Amino acid sequence: MVDQPVRIDLGSEIFSADVLQPSVGNRGFDVRKLRPETGYVSFDPGFANTAIARSAVTYIDGAAGQLLYRGYAIEDIASNCSFLEVSFLLLYGSLPNAGELLLWENDVSRHTMLNEEMRSFFDAFPRRAHPMAVLASATYAISTFYDVYRRPTREQEIDAGARTLIAKMPTVAAWAYKKSIGEPYVYPNNEFSYVENFLHMMFSRPTEITPIDPAIVKALNVLLILHADHEMNCSTATVRSVGSSRASMFASVAAGMGALWGPLHGGANQAVIEQLQAIHDDPDATIESTIARAKDRNDEFRLMGFGHRVYTNYDPRAKVLASFAQDVLDRMSIEDPLLDIARDLEAAALADDYFAERKLFPNVDFYSGIIFRALGFPQRMFTVLFSIGRLPGWIAHWVEMNNDPETRIMRPRQIYTGETERAYVPIEDR
Ligand code: ACO
C-alpha cells in the first residue's frame, strides 16, 4: 500500500511531502523541498526526529527493546558468532560461508602489524595520555603510511581500508595501554584469533607469554559483538557527517572516536564504574543520594549507563550483559562489590517514578564496565574496547553512505537569533 503524501498546513499554503516506506519501523516524510518551496526549515536539535539516510545495516525497535544486525537478532548473533564474522556481516550484508570467513580471518590477521615507524609515534605521547586520545590520533597516523587523504572510490581500496582499520586497531589499543604502564610493546602473533591476539598484546610481555583464558576470549568476543553497530548513534552520525565531505575512511572513523569518547555516549562505560566506585568508597554517595542527584534539575549529574535516545524499554544489549556479568564473575571466581551496587542502583532507579515516567532503563554501558574490569582491563581502556567493537559498524555506515546516490554533504540549517545587520563602529567610538 502506498501512503498518501503528508500534508503540512502552513496557514497560507499546504506543503505536500512524499512518504518514505521502511521495510519495518518508522515511516518518514520527505522534507527536502520544504525550504526551497516554502521558506520554512524544520527545527530538530539533536536530530531526535530526523532520519539522515535510508539504511539497511541495523534496525532498532526502541519500544520493544529489539536490535537486529542486517536482520539478525543481537541475542542470536552474540551467542553464535565470532566478532570477525559479525564484522563481515555488517560490512558485506550477509553472514560469510566457511570459505569466506576463513579468507576474511586470514586477510585480517595478515595485516595486524603496524609500520615499525609507528613505534616512535607511541613513544612521543606522555605516559599519562588517555588511550582514547592515542587511539584516535593513531587512526590518523596509520593513514599517513598509506597516503589515504581522500575518499577511496574503487571497491578494492575500500575493502583494503576496512581491513586495515579492523586488523590494526587492537594492536594500536594494546600499544596505547602498554605505553601507559611503561611496558614494552608486544607484537601481534598470527597464530592467534582476533580476540586472542588482542589479549596477547595487552597482557603478555616480550619475556613471558600470558596464557589466554578461553573464558575471557569468549566474553570479550560477546562484548565486541554487542557494541558492533547501533544505527545512527552520535559517533556513527559523526562518521557519516565527516565522510559526507568525501573525507577518507580513516579521517571519518577518527572523528567518530572523538564523538564516542564523550560521557553521554561511549565514555559512559568509564563514568559508570567511577559512579559505582564513588558509592562504594564515599560514605556521602549512597544509592539514595545518587538517585536524588540524578533527579535534581539543578544538578548536571546524571545516572550514567541509564537512559537512551532510542530505547524506551530495556536495552537488549544491557539485558544480555546484566546476566552475563554474573556469569563472567562466577567463571573467573571474582567477587566484585560494584556488581551488587549496580544491581541495587538499577532496582532503586527502576522503582522510582522519575525514571519510570521518562522510560529510563539501563543501557549497554551500565554493566559492560563491570565485565571489562573482571576481564582485567583498566577503566581508561573501556571506551577503547567500545571503539574496537564499533569499528565495523562505523565502516559499514561509511561505505553505505558513499554508495548512496542520495548522499549530500551534511550541512544542516539554523534558525538565526543573532543581531540583524548593523553598521561597523570604529574602535575609538565603541
Ligand atoms: N539520569 C537522570 N536523568 C536522565 C538520564 C539519566 N541518565 N537520562 C535522561 N534523563 C532525563 C533528562 O533529564 C530528561 O528529563 P526532563 O524531561 O525532565 O528534562 C529526560 O530524561 C529525557 O532525557 P534527554 O536528555 O532529553 O534524552 P536524550 O535522548 O537527549 O539523551 C542520553 C539520551 C544522552 C543517553 C541520556 O539518557 C543520558 O545522558 N544518559 C546518561 C549517559 C549515558 O549512559 N550514555 C550512554 C548512552 S548509550 C551509548 O551511547 C552507547
Side-chain angles (χ1 to χ4, degrees):
M1 194 188 83
V2 179
D3 284 319
Q4 292 300 313
V6 168
R7 291 159 60 82
I8 303 175
D9 188 345
L10 300 170
S12 56
E13 59 183 310
I14 300 280
F15 176 73
S16 175
D18 287 340
V19 171
L20 308 178
Q21 293 294 348
S23 50
V24 57
N26 296 126
R27 286 169 300 172
F29 60 82
D30 186 345
V31 293
R32 281 177 290 188
K33 297 217 172 80
L34 177 65
R35 196 195 58 84
E37 286 183 6
T38 70
Y40 282 93
V41 294
S42 58
F43 181 61
D44 187 18
F47 300 136
N49 206 51
T50 295
I52 59 165
R54 302 181 215 232
S55 179
V57 183
T58 286
Y59 173 69
I60 304 173
D61 181 335
Q66 182 188 39
L67 169 61
L68 309 177
Y69 290 168
R70 300 279 188 192
Y72 296 101
I74 187 68
E75 297 81 0
D76 269 359
I77 289 288
S79 50
N80 291 307
C81 291
S82 72
F83 175 65
L84 279 190
E85 208 175 340
V86 174
S87 304
F88 186 101
L89 170 70
L90 290 170
L91 291 174
Y92 300 110
S94 56
L95 283 168
N97 62 31
E100 286 169 331
L101 182 59
L102 196 63
L103 269 179
W104 170 235
E105 287 171 343
N106 284 339
D107 206 15
V108 168
S109 72
R110 280 184 27 253
H111 291 87
T112 48
M113 237 166 44
L114 301 178
N115 187 298
E116 196 61 12
E117 288 178 52
M118 281 287 285
R119 284 184 72 107
S120 53
F121 168 88
F122 285 91
D123 290 343
F125 279 107
R127 256 181 79 170
R128 64 175 184 284
H130 195 290
M132 270 308 283
V134 178
L135 195 80
S137 311
T139 303
Y140 268 115
I142 292 170
S143 76
T144 63
F145 291 90
Y146 298 93
D147 289 336
V148 278
Y149 302 119
R150 295 247 159 68
R151 170 182 77 138
T153 45
R154 286 187 302 125
E155 212 173 298
Q156 256 177 328
E157 288 174 287
I158 293 173
D159 286 349
R163 181 197 57 211
T164 301
L165 281 168
I166 290 174
K168 296 191 192 310
M169 212 46 70
T171 315
V172 169
W175 284 24
Y177 170 63
K178 288 295 191 190
K179 163 79 193 198
S180 75
I181 57 169
E183 281 193 5
Y185 311 121
V186 174
Y187 284 79
N189 182 336
N190 294 353
E191 297 290 303
F192 296 126
S193 73
Y194 189 79
V195 172
E196 286 169 345
N197 205 8
F198 177 46
L199 291 167
H200 165 68
M201 290 186 284
M202 280 287 299
F203 300 118
S204 285
R205 298 190 174 114
T207 47
E208 189 181 319
I209 292 191
T210 302
I212 299 164
D213 180 346
I216 298 187
V217 175
K218 195 164 170 234
L220 188 55
N221 187 61
V222 170
L223 279 155
L224 293 179
I225 292 172
L226 292 178
H227 287 89
D229 193 44
H230 215 230
E231 48 119 313
M232 301 300 162
N233 59 87
C234 178
S235 54
T236 302
T238 302
V239 169
R240 280 178 169 265
S241 182
V242 173
S244 75
S245 74
R246 300 193 182 166
S248 78
M249 188 192 287
F250 290 74
S252 309
V253 163
M257 287 172 178
L260 187 76
W261 192 8
L264 294 190
H265 190 16
N269 54 16
Q270 182 178 337
V272 169
I273 295 294
E274 287 162 1
Q275 215 163 72
L276 297 175
Q277 195 71 55
I279 296 174
H280 183 262
D281 298 343
D282 177 358
D284 292 331
T286 60
I287 291 198
E288 293 71 31
S289 70
T290 305
I291 297 274
R293 276 193 76 188
K295 288 160 55 172
D296 183 355
R297 283 178 164 275
N298 299 316
D299 193 335
E300 264 200 345
F301 181 92
R302 288 192 161 197
L303 192 56
M304 300 315 278
F306 252 76
H308 199 274
R309 171 62 61 78
V310 181
Y311 294 115
T312 50
N313 200 334
Y314 216 107
D315 179 337
R317 303 165 300 173
K319 204 177 261 177
V320 173
L321 290 176
S323 59
F324 197 50
Q326 186 64 63
D327 205 35
V328 170
L329 263 57
D330 287 349
R331 249 186 293 161
M332 304 187 69
S333 308
I334 294 174
E335 277 184 33
D336 187 345
L338 297 198
L339 180 57
D340 297 328
I341 296 174
R343 288 225 185 85
D344 292 346
L345 192 58
E346 178 192 339
L350 294 183
D352 193 294
D353 285 348
Y354 173 94
F355 292 88
E357 280 159 16
R358 291 168 180 75
K359 298 190 167 72
L360 303 172
F361 291 88
N363 59 50
V364 68
D365 294 316
F366 195 67
Y367 285 104
S368 62
I370 289 174
I371 308 178
F372 287 145
R373 233 163 91 98
L375 302 185
F377 290 98
Q379 268 159 242
R380 281 154 56 103
M381 285 297 286
F382 291 0
T383 314
V384 168
L385 295 165
F386 194 150
S387 304
I388 297 174
R390 184 53 56 89
L391 193 50
W394 286 332
I395 300 171
H397 280 274
W398 186 94
V399 173
E400 185 180 66
M401 178 205 61
N402 272 289
N403 291 338
D404 181 354
E406 286 183 331
T407 295
R408 294 175 77 192
I409 188 166
M410 202 93 78
R411 200 306 184 188
R413 294 277 172 174
Q414 62 173 6
I415 310 278
Y416 179 66
T417 59
E419 297 283 351
T420 52
E421 191 169 359
R422 45 185 178 164
Y424 172 76
V425 181
I427 193 158
E428 58 279 13
D429 297 337
R430 284 176 221 158

